[in-house]
């Protein structure tokens, strides 16, 4: 029998069904007593996994559906200062099953994008040198075609779209990082805590990075509520968030997470300089670009901390698994570049409209 083909509309309907399930009282008991209430959603889930990660992978509608469903589950790990009833099923066994089903297929597909077998052969000295070499290369990379578009061509309509998509992460700056800070005290933990504290403005809301992002939105009369522009967020950006949730939730992935965070902090200033250059060319106010300036300044320092005081010491401490730092670094770069390309495509579409 040929595989069922679902349209974007069908996936939207399945996602709405899933959204209703999220807030259903006694979800696990109801699913056990009446499995038919989830049959339509589960059929869509199976179809989407095959379409996104199977032999003929590449269905963007399927990718979008899966990443949105996964994010709706993952976001329950954070508190949003909203209706408490929304957390009714935060420890649901059924939701955990859905999450695990998506993650298993998705992560296997993601790992095929990299030569993991070669990375596994690296010894500690090679890992440390690879981290230093990557850090040097990513600190100030050559301008790509997308970078030149942002700096030299993007209009205010495109800039607004960039802000809308960026608000998805920018308004909850660093939240997922909280999950990896607990545990034994040492120099690595202390450095990670310093990074986290600076992201949170040293406990002052006026200095928190998300406040600077909200100020940029306010300059354009845009909505400053977290997730306001969720429907504009490309699946490639959602995948970065979901990947972050996974790595911070599973302590076995601690090295992989910190390799990824090292890339994020090292490469961040180069990306933010593109957005800052666009804002300056558009002659926007200081408030409309303050977030970029802050990040360029602070992330240059954070990148050095992550390399010298987190990644390199972790390689020494876990010599047999040090290669996982490179896996995390390379995977974060790959997924970040994919997300960046999606943001540029969305900005171009906004300009055409």
């Amino acid at each position: 029998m040929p595989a069922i083909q679902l349209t974007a509309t069908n996936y939207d309907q399945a996602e709405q069904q899933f959204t209703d399930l999220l807030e259903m009282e006694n979800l696990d008991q109801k699913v056990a007593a009446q499995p038919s209430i989830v049959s339509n959603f589960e059929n869509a889930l199976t179809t989407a996994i095959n379409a996104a990660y199977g032999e003929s992978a590449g269905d963007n509608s399927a990718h979008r559906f899966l990443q949105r469903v996964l994010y709706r589950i993952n976001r329950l790990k954070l508190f949003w200062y909203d209706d408490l009833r929304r957390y009714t099923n935060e420890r649901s066994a059924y939701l955990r099953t859905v999450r695990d089903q998506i993650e298993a297929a998705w992560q296997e597909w993601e790992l095929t994008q990299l030569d993991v077998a070669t990375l596994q052969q690296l010894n500690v000295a090679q890992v440390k040198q690879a981290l230093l070499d990557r850090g040097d290369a990513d600190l100030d990379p050559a301008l790509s075609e997308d970078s030149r578009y942002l700096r030299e061509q993007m209009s205010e309509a495109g800039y607004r779209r960039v802000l809308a998509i960026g608000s998805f992460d920018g308004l909850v700056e660093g939240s997922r990082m909280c999950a990896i800070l607990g545990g034994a005290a040492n120099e690595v933990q202390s450095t990670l805590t310093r990074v986290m504290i600076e992201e949170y403005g040293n406990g002052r809301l006026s200095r928190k990075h998300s406040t600077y992002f909200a100020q940029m939105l306010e300059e354009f009369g845009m909505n400053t509520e977290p997730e306001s522009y969720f429907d504009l967020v490309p699946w490639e950006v959602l995948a970065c968030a979901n990947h972050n949730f996974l790595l911070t939730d599973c302590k076995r992935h601690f090295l992989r997470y910190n390799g990824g965070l090292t890339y994020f902090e090292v490469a961040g200033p180069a990306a933010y300089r593109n957005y800052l250059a666009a804002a300056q060319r558009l002659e926007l106010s200081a408030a409309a670009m303050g977030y970029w300036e802050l990040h360029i300044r602070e992330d240059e320092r954070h990148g050095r901390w992550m390399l010298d005081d987190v990644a390199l010491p972790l390689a020494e401490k876990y010599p047999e698994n040090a290669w996982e730092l490179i896996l995390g670094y390379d995977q974060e770069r790959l997924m970040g570049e994919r997300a960046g390309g999606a943001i540029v495509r969305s900005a171009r579409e906004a300009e055409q409209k």
Side-chain angles (χ1 to χ4, degrees), residues 77-79 172-183 189 192-193 195-197 199-200 208 244-245 248-249 251 254 257 261:
K77 298 170 185 175
L78 304 178
F79 189 65
V172 288
E173 184 85 37
S175 293
R176 294 180 294 272
M177 189 179 177
C178 298
I180 58 98
L181 293 182
Q189 187 211 36
L192 291 170
T193 301
V195 173
M196 177 71 181
I197 287 174
E199 298 285 352
Y200 271 63
K208 192 175 185 295
N244 215 245
F245 272 118
T248 54
D249 198 40
K251 302 306 175 287
F254 187 75
Y257 169 76
L261 184 59

Side-chain angles (χ1 to χ4, degrees), residues 53-335:
Y53 313 127
E55 292 182 2
S56 58
D59 186 330
N60 279 329
S61 294
H63 277 291
R64 182 176 184 272
F65 169 69
L66 293 169
Q67 294 299 330
R68 283 169 68 92
V69 167
L70 188 54
Y71 176 76
R72 290 187 185 280
I73 298 172
N74 283 332
R75 71 184 297 279
L76 294 175
K77 298 170 185 175
L78 304 178
F79 189 65
W80 298 84
Y81 290 88
D82 52 359
D83 191 330
L84 297 177
R85 289 174 296 183
R86 294 193 172 183
Y87 305 92
T88 297
N89 292 304
E90 63 180 313
R91 303 194 72 183
S92 162
Y94 178 73
L95 294 185
R96 185 171 66 249
T97 299
V98 172
R99 181 199 68 197
D100 292 350
Q101 185 179 352
I102 297 173
E103 283 183 347
W106 167 48
Q107 285 292 306
E108 182 178 353
W109 176 78
E110 289 285 8
L111 288 173
T112 64
Q113 317 298 311
L114 296 166
D115 187 357
V116 178
T118 297
L119 296 181
Q120 289 174 323
Q121 303 305 311
L122 299 177
N123 60 36
V124 174
Q126 291 170 323
V127 166
K128 293 172 70 173
Q129 189 60 51
L131 285 168
L132 293 171
D133 291 344
R134 282 162 167 75
D136 288 341
D138 292 322
L139 186 62
D140 189 22
L143 292 181
S144 65
E145 182 179 342
D146 284 349
S147 295
R148 291 192 181 281
Y149 160 74
L150 294 170
R151 287 171 172 256
E152 302 168 7
Q153 302 172 35
M154 183 171 63
S155 68
E156 185 175 313
Y159 189 79
R160 286 172 177 264
R161 178 61 62 86
V162 166
L163 291 186
I165 296 173
S167 69
F168 170 70
D169 186 67
L171 293 178
V172 288
E173 184 85 37
S175 293
R176 294 180 294 272
M177 189 179 177
C178 298
I180 58 98
L181 293 182
N186 53 44
E187 290 298 331
V188 168
Q189 187 211 36
S190 296
T191 299
L192 291 170
T193 301
R194 288 206 309 276
V195 173
M196 177 71 181
I197 287 174
E198 288 203 355
E199 298 285 352
Y200 271 63
N202 293 299
R204 287 174 287 179
L205 181 60
S206 62
R207 299 284 300 278
K208 192 175 185 295
H209 290 188
S210 60
T211 299
Y212 286 87
F213 204 103
Q215 289 172 351
M216 291 200 298
L217 295 172
E218 288 170 350
E219 281 292 295
F220 291 100
M222 297 172 68
N223 198 322
T224 60
E225 288 296 314
E227 302 180 333
S228 295
Y229 299 101
F230 182 56
D231 287 341
L232 291 176
V233 180
W235 72 261
E236 295 91 339
V237 175
L238 287 169
C240 290
N242 285 325
H243 185 71
N244 215 245
F245 272 118
L246 170 63
L247 298 192
T248 54
D249 198 40
C250 300
K251 302 306 175 287
R252 178 59 187 83
H253 297 323
F254 187 75
L255 299 185
R256 194 168 153 201
Y257 169 76
N258 280 290
L261 184 59
T262 298
Y263 168 76
F264 187 84
E265 297 292 350
V266 166
Y272 300 136
R273 279 193 285 269
N274 292 333
Y275 297 132
L276 178 61
Q280 291 172 335
R281 175 175 51 80
L282 293 169
E283 298 183 344
L284 302 179
S285 69
M289 63 180 84
Y291 178 89
W292 313 127
E293 293 177 319
L294 174 70
H295 268 69
I296 291 169
R297 184 171 64 253
E298 292 201 352
D299 283 5
E300 286 176 348
R301 182 171 65 254
H302 291 175
R304 196 72 254 168
W305 289 354
M306 287 301 304
L307 267 173
D308 294 343
D309 301 329
V310 175
L312 295 178
L314 284 175
E316 291 281 0
K317 185 172 180 60
Y318 296 98
E320 296 299 317
N321 302 101
W323 65 271
E324 294 178 24
L325 289 158
I326 302 298
L327 173 60
Y329 189 104
D330 288 355
Q331 195 165 31
E332 184 72 19
R333 178 167 56 189
L334 178 66
M335 297 178 73

